[in-house]
Coordinates of all heavy atoms in Angstrom, one line a residue:
M1 N -29.1 7.3 34.3 CA -29.4 7.5 33.0 C -30.7 8.3 32.9 O -31.6 8.1 33.7 CB -29.7 6.2 32.2 CG -28.4 5.4 31.9 SD -28.6 4.0 30.8 CE -30.2 3.5 30.9
K2 N -30.8 9.2 32.0 CA -32.0 10.0 31.8 C -33.1 9.1 31.1 O -32.7 8.4 30.2 CB -31.7 11.2 30.9 CG -30.9 12.3 31.7 CD -30.8 13.5 30.8 CE -30.0 14.6 31.5 NZ -29.9 15.8 30.7
N3 N -34.3 9.3 31.5 CA -35.4 8.6 30.9 C -35.8 9.2 29.5 O -35.8 10.4 29.4 CB -36.6 8.5 31.8 CG -36.3 7.6 33.0 OD1 -35.5 6.7 32.9 ND2 -37.0 8.0 34.1
G4 N -36.1 8.3 28.6 CA -36.7 8.8 27.3 C -35.7 9.2 26.2 O -36.1 9.5 25.2
I5 N -34.4 9.2 26.5 CA -33.4 9.6 25.5 C -32.6 8.4 24.9 O -31.9 8.6 24.0 CB -32.4 10.7 26.0 CG1 -31.6 10.1 27.2 CG2 -33.2 11.9 26.4 CD1 -30.4 11.1 27.6
H6 N -32.7 7.2 25.6 CA -31.9 6.1 25.1 C -32.8 5.1 24.4 O -33.9 4.9 24.7 CB -31.2 5.4 26.3 CG -30.3 6.2 27.0 ND1 -29.0 6.5 26.6 CD2 -30.4 6.9 28.2 CE1 -28.4 7.3 27.4 NE2 -29.2 7.6 28.4
P7 N -32.2 4.4 23.3 CA -33.0 3.4 22.6 C -33.3 2.2 23.5 O -32.5 1.9 24.4 CB -32.2 3.1 21.4 CG -30.8 3.5 21.8 CD -30.9 4.6 22.8
D8 N -34.3 1.4 23.1 CA -34.6 0.2 23.9 C -33.5 -0.8 23.6 O -33.0 -0.9 22.5 CB -35.9 -0.4 23.4 CG -37.1 0.5 23.8 OD1 -37.0 1.2 24.8 OD2 -38.1 0.5 23.1
Y9 N -33.2 -1.6 24.7 CA -32.1 -2.6 24.7 C -32.8 -3.9 24.8 O -33.3 -4.3 25.9 CB -31.1 -2.3 25.8 CG -29.8 -3.0 25.7 CD1 -29.0 -2.9 24.7 CD2 -29.4 -3.8 26.8 CE1 -27.8 -3.5 24.6 CE2 -28.2 -4.5 26.8 CZ -27.4 -4.3 25.7 OH -26.2 -5.0 25.6
N10 N -32.9 -4.7 23.7 CA -33.7 -5.9 23.7 C -32.8 -7.1 23.4 O -31.7 -7.0 22.8 CB -34.7 -5.8 22.6 CG -35.6 -4.6 22.7 OD1 -36.1 -4.3 23.8 ND2 -35.8 -3.9 21.6
P11 N -33.3 -8.3 23.8 CA -32.6 -9.5 23.4 C -32.8 -9.8 22.0 O -33.9 -9.7 21.4 CB -33.2 -10.6 24.3 CG -34.5 -10.1 24.7 CD -34.4 -8.6 24.7
V12 N -31.7 -10.1 21.3 CA -31.7 -10.4 19.8 C -30.9 -11.6 19.5 O -30.0 -12.0 20.3 CB -31.3 -9.2 18.9 CG1 -32.2 -8.0 19.1 CG2 -29.9 -8.9 19.2
V13 N -31.2 -12.2 18.4 CA -30.3 -13.3 17.9 C -29.8 -12.9 16.5 O -30.7 -12.6 15.6 CB -31.0 -14.7 17.9 CG1 -32.3 -14.7 17.0 CG2 -30.1 -15.8 17.4
F14 N -28.5 -12.8 16.3 CA -28.0 -12.4 15.0 C -27.7 -13.7 14.3 O -27.1 -14.7 14.8 CB -26.6 -11.7 15.2 CG -26.8 -10.3 15.7 CD1 -26.5 -10.0 17.0 CD2 -27.3 -9.3 14.9 CE1 -26.7 -8.7 17.5 CE2 -27.5 -8.0 15.4 CZ -27.2 -7.7 16.7
V15 N -28.2 -13.8 13.0 CA -28.1 -15.1 12.2 C -27.2 -14.8 11.0 O -27.5 -13.8 10.3 CB -29.5 -15.6 11.8 CG1 -29.3 -16.8 11.0 CG2 -30.4 -15.8 13.0
D16 N -26.2 -15.6 10.8 CA -25.3 -15.5 9.7 C -26.1 -16.0 8.5 O -26.5 -17.2 8.5 CB -24.0 -16.2 9.9 CG -23.0 -16.0 8.8 OD1 -23.4 -16.0 7.6 OD2 -21.8 -15.8 9.1
A17 N -26.2 -15.2 7.4 CA -27.0 -15.6 6.2 C -26.4 -16.7 5.5 O -27.0 -17.5 4.8 CB -27.2 -14.4 5.3
N18 N -25.0 -16.9 5.5 CA -24.3 -17.9 4.8 C -24.3 -19.2 5.5 O -24.5 -20.3 4.9 CB -22.9 -17.4 4.5 CG -22.9 -16.2 3.6 OD1 -23.6 -16.1 2.6 ND2 -22.1 -15.2 4.0
T19 N -24.0 -19.2 6.8 CA -23.8 -20.5 7.5 C -25.0 -20.8 8.4 O -25.2 -22.0 8.8 CB -22.6 -20.5 8.4 OG1 -22.7 -19.4 9.4 CG2 -21.3 -20.2 7.6
G20 N -25.8 -19.9 8.7 CA -27.0 -20.1 9.6 C -26.6 -20.1 11.1 O -27.4 -20.4 11.9
K21 N -25.3 -19.8 11.4 CA -24.9 -19.8 12.8 C -25.6 -18.7 13.5 O -25.8 -17.6 13.0 CB -23.4 -19.7 12.9 CG -22.9 -19.7 14.4 CD -21.4 -19.9 14.4 CE -21.0 -20.0 15.9 NZ -19.6 -20.1 16.0
E22 N -26.0 -18.9 14.8 CA -26.8 -17.9 15.6 C -25.9 -17.4 16.7 O -25.3 -18.2 17.4 CB -28.1 -18.5 16.1 CG -29.0 -19.0 15.0 CD -30.3 -19.6 15.5 OE1 -30.3 -20.1 16.7 OE2 -31.2 -19.8 14.8
F23 N -26.0 -16.1 16.9 CA -25.3 -15.4 18.0 C -26.4 -14.7 18.9 O -27.0 -13.8 18.4 CB -24.3 -14.4 17.5 CG -23.3 -14.9 16.6 CD1 -23.5 -15.0 15.2 CD2 -22.1 -15.4 17.1 CE1 -22.5 -15.5 14.4 CE2 -21.1 -15.9 16.3 CZ -21.3 -15.9 14.9
I24 N -26.5 -15.2 20.1 CA -27.5 -14.6 21.0 C -26.9 -13.6 21.9 O -25.9 -13.8 22.5 CB -28.1 -15.7 21.9 CG1 -28.9 -16.8 21.0 CG2 -29.1 -15.1 22.9 CD1 -29.3 -18.0 21.8
T25 N -27.5 -12.4 21.9 CA -27.0 -11.3 22.6 C -28.1 -10.3 22.9 O -29.3 -10.6 22.7 CB -25.8 -10.6 21.8 OG1 -25.2 -9.6 22.7 CG2 -26.2 -10.0 20.5
R26 N -27.7 -9.1 23.3 CA -28.7 -8.0 23.4 C -28.2 -6.8 22.6 O -27.0 -6.6 22.4 CB -28.7 -7.5 24.9 CG -29.3 -8.6 25.8 CD -29.3 -8.2 27.3 NE -30.0 -7.0 27.5 CZ -31.3 -6.8 27.8 NH1 -32.1 -7.9 27.9 NH2 -31.9 -5.7 28.0
S27 N -29.2 -6.0 22.0 CA -28.8 -5.0 21.1 C -29.9 -4.0 21.1 O -31.1 -4.2 21.5 CB -28.6 -5.6 19.7 OG -28.3 -4.5 18.8
T28 N -29.6 -2.8 20.6 CA -30.6 -1.8 20.3 C -31.3 -2.0 19.0 O -32.3 -1.4 18.7 CB -30.0 -0.3 20.3 OG1 -29.0 -0.3 19.4 CG2 -29.5 0.0 21.7
K29 N -30.7 -2.9 18.1 CA -31.3 -3.2 16.8 C -32.6 -4.1 17.1 O -32.6 -5.0 17.9 CB -30.3 -4.0 16.1 CG -30.7 -4.4 14.7 CD -30.4 -3.3 13.7 CE -30.6 -3.8 12.3 NZ -30.8 -2.7 11.4
S30 N -33.6 -3.7 16.4 CA -34.9 -4.5 16.6 C -35.3 -5.1 15.3 O -34.8 -4.7 14.2 CB -36.0 -3.6 17.1 OG -36.2 -2.5 16.2
S31 N -36.2 -6.0 15.4 CA -36.7 -6.7 14.2 C -38.1 -7.2 14.4 O -38.5 -7.5 15.5 CB -35.8 -8.0 13.9 OG -36.3 -8.7 12.9
A32 N -38.9 -7.2 13.3 CA -40.3 -7.7 13.4 C -40.3 -9.2 13.5 O -41.2 -9.7 14.1 CB -41.1 -7.2 12.2
E33 N -39.3 -9.8 12.9 CA -39.2 -11.3 13.0 C -38.8 -11.7 14.4 O -37.9 -11.2 14.9 CB -38.3 -11.8 12.0 CG -38.2 -13.3 11.8 CD -37.2 -13.8 10.8 OE1 -36.6 -13.0 10.1 OE2 -36.9 -15.0 10.8
K34 N -39.5 -12.7 15.0 CA -39.2 -13.1 16.3 C -38.9 -14.6 16.3 O -39.4 -15.4 15.5 CB -40.4 -12.8 17.3 CG -40.8 -11.4 17.4 CD -39.8 -10.6 18.1 CE -40.3 -9.1 18.2 NZ -39.3 -8.2 18.5
K35 N -38.1 -15.1 17.3 CA -37.8 -16.5 17.5 C -37.7 -16.7 19.0 O -37.1 -16.0 19.8 CB -36.4 -16.8 16.8 CG -36.1 -18.2 16.9 CD -34.8 -18.4 16.0 CE -34.6 -19.9 15.9 NZ -33.4 -20.2 15.0
V36 N -38.3 -17.9 19.4 CA -38.3 -18.2 20.8 C -37.2 -19.3 21.1 O -37.2 -20.3 20.4 CB -39.7 -18.8 21.3 CG1 -39.6 -19.2 22.8 CG2 -40.7 -17.7 21.1
I37 N -36.3 -19.0 21.9 CA -35.2 -19.9 22.3 C -35.2 -20.0 23.8 O -35.0 -19.0 24.5 CB -33.8 -19.4 21.8 CG1 -33.9 -19.3 20.2 CG2 -32.7 -20.4 22.2 CD1 -32.6 -18.6 19.7
D38 N -35.3 -21.3 24.3 CA -35.3 -21.5 25.8 C -36.3 -20.7 26.5 O -36.0 -20.2 27.6 CB -33.9 -21.3 26.4 CG -32.9 -22.3 25.8 OD1 -33.3 -23.4 25.5 OD2 -31.7 -22.0 25.8
G39 N -37.5 -20.4 25.9 CA -38.5 -19.7 26.6 C -38.4 -18.2 26.5 O -39.2 -17.5 27.1
V40 N -37.4 -17.7 25.8 CA -37.1 -16.2 25.7 C -37.4 -15.8 24.3 O -36.9 -16.5 23.3 CB -35.7 -15.9 26.1 CG1 -35.5 -14.4 26.0 CG2 -35.4 -16.3 27.6
E41 N -38.1 -14.8 24.0 CA -38.4 -14.3 22.7 C -37.3 -13.3 22.2 O -37.1 -12.3 22.9 CB -39.8 -13.6 22.6 CG -40.2 -13.3 21.2 CD -41.6 -12.6 21.2 OE1 -42.5 -13.4 21.2 OE2 -41.7 -11.4 21.2
Y42 N -36.7 -13.6 21.1 CA -35.6 -12.8 20.6 C -36.0 -12.2 19.2 O -36.7 -12.9 18.4 CB -34.3 -13.7 20.3 CG -33.7 -14.2 21.6 CD1 -34.0 -15.5 22.1 CD2 -32.8 -13.5 22.3 CE1 -33.5 -16.0 23.2 CE2 -32.2 -14.0 23.4 CZ -32.5 -15.2 23.9 OH -31.9 -15.7 25.0
G43 N -35.6 -11.0 19.0 CA -35.7 -10.5 17.6 C -34.6 -11.1 16.7 O -33.5 -11.2 17.2
V44 N -35.0 -11.4 15.5 CA -34.0 -12.0 14.6 C -33.4 -11.0 13.6 O -34.2 -10.3 12.9 CB -34.6 -13.2 13.8 CG1 -33.7 -13.8 12.8 CG2 -35.2 -14.2 14.7
V45 N -32.1 -10.8 13.7 CA -31.4 -9.9 12.8 C -30.5 -10.7 11.9 O -29.6 -11.4 12.4 CB -30.6 -8.9 13.5 CG1 -29.9 -7.9 12.6 CG2 -31.5 -8.1 14.5
T46 N -30.7 -10.7 10.6 CA -29.8 -11.5 9.6 C -28.7 -10.6 9.2 O -28.9 -9.5 8.8 CB -30.7 -11.9 8.4 OG1 -31.8 -12.6 8.9 CG2 -29.9 -12.8 7.5
L47 N -27.5 -11.2 9.2 CA -26.2 -10.5 8.8 C -25.6 -11.2 7.6 O -25.6 -12.5 7.6 CB -25.3 -10.4 9.9 CG -25.8 -9.7 11.2 CD1 -24.7 -9.8 12.3 CD2 -26.0 -8.2 10.9
E48 N -25.0 -10.5 6.7 CA -24.3 -11.1 5.6 C -22.9 -11.7 6.0 O -22.5 -12.7 5.6 CB -24.1 -10.1 4.4 CG -25.4 -9.7 3.8 CD -26.0 -10.8 3.0 OE1 -25.3 -11.6 2.4 OE2 -27.3 -10.8 3.1
I49 N -22.2 -10.9 6.9 CA -20.9 -11.3 7.3 C -20.8 -11.3 8.8 O -21.2 -10.3 9.4 CB -19.8 -10.4 6.7 CG1 -19.8 -10.6 5.2 CG2 -18.4 -10.8 7.2 CD1 -18.8 -9.6 4.5
T50 N -20.3 -12.3 9.4 CA -20.1 -12.4 10.8 C -18.7 -12.9 11.1 O -18.0 -13.2 10.1 CB -21.1 -13.3 11.6 OG1 -20.9 -14.6 11.1 CG2 -22.5 -12.8 11.3
S51 N -18.3 -13.1 12.3 CA -17.0 -13.7 12.6 C -16.9 -15.1 12.1 O -15.8 -15.7 11.9 CB -16.7 -13.6 14.1 OG -17.6 -14.4 14.8
D52 N -18.0 -15.8 11.8 CA -18.1 -17.1 11.3 C -17.7 -17.2 9.9 O -17.2 -18.2 9.4 CB -19.5 -17.7 11.6 CG -19.5 -19.2 11.5 OD1 -18.5 -19.8 12.0 OD2 -20.4 -19.8 10.9
T53 N -17.9 -16.1 9.1 CA -17.6 -16.2 7.7 C -16.7 -15.1 7.2 O -16.3 -15.1 6.0 CB -18.9 -16.0 6.9 OG1 -19.6 -14.8 7.3 CG2 -19.9 -17.2 7.0
H54 N -16.2 -14.2 8.1 CA -15.3 -13.1 7.6 C -13.9 -13.7 7.3 O -13.4 -14.5 8.1 CB -15.2 -12.1 8.7 CG -14.6 -10.8 8.3 ND1 -13.2 -10.7 8.1 CD2 -15.1 -9.6 7.9 CE1 -12.9 -9.5 7.7 NE2 -14.0 -8.8 7.5
P55 N -13.3 -13.3 6.2 CA -12.0 -13.9 5.8 C -10.9 -13.7 6.9 O -10.1 -14.6 7.0 CB -11.7 -13.1 4.6 CG -12.9 -12.6 4.0 CD -13.8 -12.4 5.2
F56 N -10.9 -12.6 7.6 CA -9.9 -12.4 8.6 C -10.0 -13.5 9.7 O -9.0 -14.1 10.2 CB -10.0 -11.0 9.3 CG -9.0 -10.8 10.4 CD1 -7.7 -10.4 10.0 CD2 -9.4 -10.9 11.7 CE1 -6.8 -10.2 11.0 CE2 -8.4 -10.7 12.7 CZ -7.1 -10.3 12.3
W57 N -11.2 -13.8 10.2 CA -11.4 -14.8 11.3 C -11.4 -16.2 10.8 O -11.1 -17.1 11.6 CB -12.7 -14.5 12.0 CG -12.8 -13.1 12.6 CD1 -13.5 -12.1 12.1 CD2 -12.0 -12.6 13.6 NE1 -13.3 -11.0 12.9 CE2 -12.4 -11.3 13.8 CE3 -11.1 -13.2 14.5 CZ2 -11.8 -10.5 14.8 CZ3 -10.5 -12.4 15.5 CH2 -10.9 -11.1 15.6
T58 N -11.6 -16.5 9.5 CA -11.6 -17.8 9.0 C -10.2 -18.2 8.5 O -9.9 -19.4 8.2 CB -12.5 -18.0 7.8 OG1 -12.2 -17.1 6.8 CG2 -14.0 -17.8 8.3
G59 N -9.3 -17.2 8.4 CA -7.9 -17.5 8.0 C -7.7 -17.6 6.5 O -6.7 -18.0 5.9
K60 N -8.7 -17.1 5.7 CA -8.7 -17.1 4.3 C -8.4 -15.8 3.7 O -8.6 -15.5 2.5 CB -10.0 -17.7 3.7 CG -10.2 -19.1 4.1 CD -11.5 -19.6 3.6 CE -11.8 -21.1 4.1 NZ -13.1 -21.6 3.7
Q61 N -7.9 -14.9 4.5 CA -7.6 -13.5 4.0 C -6.3 -13.5 3.2 O -5.4 -14.1 3.5 CB -7.5 -12.6 5.2 CG -7.3 -11.1 4.8 CD -7.2 -10.2 6.0 OE1 -7.2 -10.7 7.2 NE2 -7.2 -8.9 5.8
H62 N -6.4 -12.8 2.1 CA -5.2 -12.6 1.2 C -4.8 -11.2 1.3 O -5.6 -10.3 1.2 CB -5.6 -13.0 -0.2 CG -6.0 -14.4 -0.4 ND1 -5.1 -15.4 -0.3 CD2 -7.2 -14.9 -0.5 CE1 -5.8 -16.6 -0.5 NE2 -7.1 -16.3 -0.6
R63 N -3.4 -11.0 1.4 CA -2.9 -9.6 1.4 C -2.6 -9.2 -0.1 O -2.0 -10.0 -0.8 CB -1.6 -9.5 2.2 CG -1.9 -9.7 3.6 CD -0.7 -9.3 4.4 NE -1.2 -9.2 5.8 CZ -0.9 -8.2 6.6 NH1 -0.3 -7.2 6.2 NH2 -1.3 -8.2 7.8
V64 N -3.0 -8.0 -0.4 CA -2.8 -7.5 -1.8 C -1.7 -6.5 -1.7 O -1.8 -5.5 -0.9 CB -4.1 -6.9 -2.3 CG1 -3.8 -6.3 -3.7 CG2 -5.2 -7.9 -2.4
D65 N -0.6 -6.8 -2.4 CA 0.6 -5.9 -2.3 C 0.4 -4.8 -3.4 O 0.6 -5.1 -4.6 CB 1.9 -6.7 -2.5 CG 3.1 -5.8 -2.5 OD1 3.0 -4.7 -1.9 OD2 4.1 -6.2 -3.0
T66 N 0.0 -3.6 -3.0 CA -0.2 -2.6 -4.0 C 1.1 -1.7 -4.1 O 1.6 -1.3 -3.0 CB -1.4 -1.7 -3.6 OG1 -1.2 -1.2 -2.3 CG2 -2.7 -2.5 -3.7
A67 N 1.5 -1.4 -5.3 CA 2.7 -0.6 -5.5 C 3.9 -1.1 -4.9 O 4.9 -0.4 -4.6 CB 2.4 0.8 -5.0
G68 N 4.0 -2.4 -4.7 CA 5.3 -3.0 -4.2 C 5.7 -2.6 -2.9 O 6.9 -2.5 -2.6
R69 N 4.8 -2.3 -2.0 CA 5.2 -1.8 -0.7 C 6.0 -2.7 0.2 O 6.9 -2.4 0.9 CB 3.9 -1.4 0.1 CG 3.2 -0.2 -0.5 CD 2.0 0.3 0.3 NE 1.4 1.4 -0.4 CZ 0.2 1.9 -0.1 NH1 -0.4 1.3 0.9 NH2 -0.3 2.9 -0.7
I70 N 5.7 -4.0 0.0 CA 6.4 -5.0 0.8 C 7.8 -5.1 0.2 O 8.8 -5.2 1.0 CB 5.7 -6.4 0.7 CG1 4.4 -6.3 1.5 CG2 6.6 -7.5 1.3 CD1 3.5 -7.5 1.3
D71 N 8.0 -5.0 -1.1 CA 9.3 -5.0 -1.7 C 10.1 -3.8 -1.3 O 11.3 -3.9 -1.0 CB 9.2 -5.1 -3.2 CG 8.7 -6.4 -3.7 OD1 8.9 -7.4 -3.0 OD2 8.1 -6.5 -4.8
Q72 N 9.5 -2.7 -1.2 CA 10.1 -1.4 -0.8 C 10.6 -1.6 0.6 O 11.8 -1.2 0.9 CB 9.2 -0.2 -0.9 CG 8.9 0.2 -2.3 CD 7.9 1.3 -2.4 OE1 7.3 1.7 -1.4 NE2 7.7 1.9 -3.6
F73 N 9.8 -2.1 1.5 CA 10.2 -2.3 2.9 C 11.4 -3.3 2.9 O 12.4 -3.0 3.7 CB 9.0 -2.9 3.7 CG 9.4 -3.2 5.1 CD1 9.3 -2.2 6.0 CD2 9.8 -4.4 5.5 CE1 9.6 -2.4 7.4 CE2 10.1 -4.7 6.8 CZ 10.0 -3.7 7.8
N74 N 11.3 -4.4 2.2 CA 12.4 -5.4 2.3 C 13.7 -4.8 1.7 O 14.8 -5.0 2.3 CB 12.0 -6.6 1.5 CG 11.0 -7.4 2.2 OD1 10.9 -7.4 3.4 ND2 10.2 -8.2 1.5
K75 N 13.7 -4.0 0.7 CA 14.9 -3.3 0.1 C 15.4 -2.3 1.2 O 16.7 -2.2 1.3 CB 14.6 -2.6 -1.2 CG 14.4 -3.5 -2.3 CD 14.1 -2.7 -3.6 CE 13.7 -3.6 -4.7 NZ 13.3 -2.8 -5.9
R76 N 14.6 -1.6 1.8 CA 15.0 -0.6 2.8 C 15.7 -1.2 4.0 O 16.7 -0.6 4.5 CB 13.8 0.2 3.2 CG 14.1 1.4 4.1 CD 12.9 2.2 4.3 NE 13.2 3.4 5.0 CZ 12.3 4.3 5.4 NH1 11.0 4.0 5.1 NH2 12.6 5.4 6.0
F77 N 15.2 -2.3 4.4 CA 15.8 -2.9 5.6 C 16.6 -4.2 5.3 O 16.8 -5.0 6.2 CB 14.7 -3.2 6.6 CG 14.0 -1.9 7.1 CD1 12.8 -1.6 6.7 CD2 14.7 -1.1 8.0 CE1 12.2 -0.4 7.1 CE2 14.1 0.1 8.4 CZ 12.9 0.4 8.0
A78 N 17.0 -4.4 4.1 CA 17.8 -5.6 3.7 C 19.2 -5.4 4.2 O 19.7 -4.3 4.5 CB 17.8 -5.7 2.2
G79 N 19.9 -6.5 4.3 CA 21.3 -6.4 4.7 C 21.6 -7.6 5.6 O 21.3 -8.7 5.4
D80 N 22.2 -7.3 6.7 CA 22.6 -8.3 7.7 C 21.5 -8.8 8.6 O 21.8 -9.5 9.5 CB 23.8 -7.8 8.5 CG 23.5 -6.5 9.2 OD1 22.4 -6.0 9.1 OD2 24.4 -6.0 9.9
G81 N 20.3 -8.3 8.4 CA 19.2 -8.8 9.3 C 19.0 -7.9 10.5 O 18.1 -8.1 11.2
K82 N 19.9 -6.9 10.7 CA 19.7 -5.9 11.8 C 18.9 -4.7 11.3 O 19.1 -4.3 10.2 CB 21.0 -5.5 12.3 CG 21.8 -6.7 13.0 CD 23.1 -6.2 13.5 CE 23.9 -7.3 14.1 NZ 25.2 -6.9 14.5
L83 N 18.1 -4.2 12.1 CA 17.3 -3.1 11.8 C 18.1 -1.8 11.9 O 18.6 -1.5 13.0 CB 16.0 -3.0 12.6 CG 15.0 -1.9 12.3 CD1 14.5 -2.1 10.9 CD2 13.9 -1.9 13.3
N84 N 18.3 -1.1 10.9 CA 19.1 0.1 10.9 C 18.2 1.3 11.1 O 17.7 1.9 10.2 CB 19.9 0.3 9.6 CG 20.8 1.5 9.6 OD1 20.9 2.2 10.7 ND2 21.5 1.8 8.6
I85 N 18.0 1.6 12.4 CA 17.0 2.7 12.8 C 17.5 4.1 12.3 O 16.8 4.9 11.8 CB 16.8 2.8 14.3 CG1 16.2 1.4 14.8 CG2 15.9 3.9 14.7 CD1 14.8 1.1 14.4
A86 N 18.8 4.3 12.4 CA 19.3 5.6 12.0 C 19.1 5.9 10.5 O 18.8 7.0 10.1 CB 20.8 5.7 12.4
G87 N 19.3 4.9 9.7 CA 19.1 5.0 8.3 C 17.7 5.1 7.9 O 17.4 5.6 6.8
A88 N 16.8 4.7 8.7 CA 15.4 4.7 8.4 C 14.7 6.0 8.7 O 13.6 6.2 8.3 CB 14.7 3.5 9.1
K89 N 15.3 6.8 9.6 CA 14.7 8.1 10.0 C 14.6 9.0 8.8 O 15.5 9.1 8.0 CB 15.4 8.7 11.1 CG 15.3 7.9 12.4 CD 15.9 8.7 13.5 CE 15.7 7.9 14.8 NZ 16.4 8.6 15.9
R90 N 13.5 9.8 8.8 CA 13.4 10.8 7.8 C 13.9 12.1 8.3 O 13.9 12.4 9.5 CB 11.9 10.9 7.4 CG 11.4 9.7 6.7 CD 10.0 9.9 6.3 NE 9.5 8.8 5.6 CZ 8.2 8.6 5.3 NH1 7.3 9.4 5.6 NH2 7.9 7.5 4.6
K91 N 14.3 13.0 7.4 CA 14.7 14.3 7.9 C 13.5 15.1 8.3 O 12.4 15.1 7.6 CB 15.4 15.0 6.7 CG 16.7 14.4 6.3 CD 17.3 15.1 5.1 CE 18.5 14.4 4.7 NZ 19.1 15.1 3.5
T92 N 13.7 15.9 9.4 CA 12.6 16.7 9.8 C 12.7 18.0 9.0 O 13.6 18.3 8.3 CB 12.7 17.1 11.3 OG1 14.0 17.8 11.5 CG2 12.7 15.8 12.1
R93 N 11.7 18.8 9.1 CA 11.6 20.1 8.3 C 12.7 21.0 8.8 O 13.3 21.8 8.0 CB 10.3 20.7 8.5 CG 9.2 20.0 7.7 CD 7.9 20.7 7.9 NE 6.9 19.9 7.1 CZ 5.6 20.1 7.2 NH1 5.2 21.1 7.9 NH2 4.8 19.4 6.5
R94 N 13.0 21.0 10.1 CA 14.1 21.9 10.6 C 15.4 21.5 10.0 O 16.2 22.4 9.7 CB 14.1 21.8 12.1 CG 13.0 22.4 12.8 CD 13.2 22.4 14.3 NE 11.9 22.8 15.0 CZ 11.6 22.5 16.2 NH1 12.5 21.8 16.9 NH2 10.5 22.9 16.7
V95 N 15.7 20.2 10.0 CA 17.0 19.8 9.5 C 17.1 20.1 8.0 O 18.2 20.6 7.5 CB 17.2 18.3 9.7 CG1 18.5 17.8 9.0 CG2 17.3 18.0 11.2
A96 N 16.1 19.9 7.3 CA 16.1 20.2 5.8 C 16.2 21.7 5.6 O 17.0 22.1 4.7 CB 14.8 19.7 5.2
A97 N 15.6 22.5 6.4 CA 15.7 24.0 6.3 C 17.1 24.5 6.6 O 17.6 25.3 6.0 CB 14.6 24.6 7.2
K98 N 17.6 23.9 7.7 CA 19.0 24.3 8.1 C 20.0 24.0 7.0 O 20.9 24.8 6.7 CB 19.3 23.5 9.4 CG 20.0 24.3 10.4 CD 20.4 23.4 11.6 CE 19.8 24.0 12.8 NZ 20.2 23.3 14.0
K99 N 19.9 22.8 6.4 CA 20.8 22.4 5.4 C 20.7 23.3 4.1 O 21.6 23.7 3.5 CB 20.6 20.9 5.0 CG 21.2 20.0 6.0 CD 21.1 18.6 5.6 CE 21.7 17.7 6.6 NZ 21.8 16.3 6.2
S100 N 19.4 23.7 3.8 CA 19.2 24.6 2.7 C 19.8 26.0 2.9 O 20.3 26.6 2.1 CB 17.8 24.6 2.3 OG 17.0 25.3 3.3
E101 N 19.7 26.4 4.2 CA 20.3 27.7 4.5 C 21.8 27.7 4.4 O 22.5 28.6 4.0 CB 19.9 28.1 6.0 CG 18.5 28.5 6.1 CD 18.1 28.7 7.6 OE1 18.9 28.7 8.4 OE2 16.9 29.0 7.8
E102 N 22.4 26.5 4.9 CA 23.9 26.4 4.8 C 24.4 26.4 3.3 O 25.4 27.0 3.0 CB 24.3 25.1 5.5 CG 24.2 25.1 7.0 CD 24.5 23.8 7.6 OE1 24.9 22.8 6.9 OE2 24.3 23.6 8.8
V103 N 23.6 25.8 2.5 CA 24.0 25.8 1.0 C 23.9 27.2 0.4 O 24.7 27.6 -0.4 CB 23.0 24.8 0.3 CG1 23.2 24.9 -1.2 CG2 23.3 23.3 0.8
E104 N 22.8 27.9 0.8 CA 22.7 29.3 0.3 C 23.8 30.2 0.8 O 24.2 31.1 0.0 CB 21.3 29.8 0.7 CG 20.1 29.2 0.0 CD 18.8 29.7 0.6 OE1 18.8 30.6 1.4 OE2 17.8 29.2 0.1
E105 N 24.3 30.0 2.0 CA 25.3 30.9 2.6 C 26.7 30.7 1.8 O 27.4 31.6 1.6 CB 25.5 30.6 4.1 CG 24.4 31.1 4.9 CD 24.5 30.7 6.3 OE1 25.6 30.2 6.7 OE2 23.6 31.0 7.1
K106 N 26.9 29.4 1.4 CA 28.2 29.1 0.7 C 28.1 29.7 -0.7 O 28.6 30.3 -1.3 CB 28.4 27.6 0.6 CG 28.7 27.1 2.0 CD 28.9 25.6 1.9 CE 29.1 25.0 3.3 NZ 29.4 23.6 3.2

């Protein structure tokens, strides 16, 4: 590594603002607030959302179905429960252009 171009890498403790849970790690993020844990001085960085309070990690995430996308998917692949790959493929530009040329020739 070249000297003088990288930020300092210090021990820090990330604190969840909602639950107070602490995550001890190292980071380039620094803080004026300090905390001593087991004889080591850590910079304290407060976060609003961590894995302790994020809806995805807590299991409280809700899916929002915008424009009926889930319904569209279910209609498209409804039937006997088998996935119809051939029916799901979209036409490529070449196929669409070829078909339009055939129509013009007739």
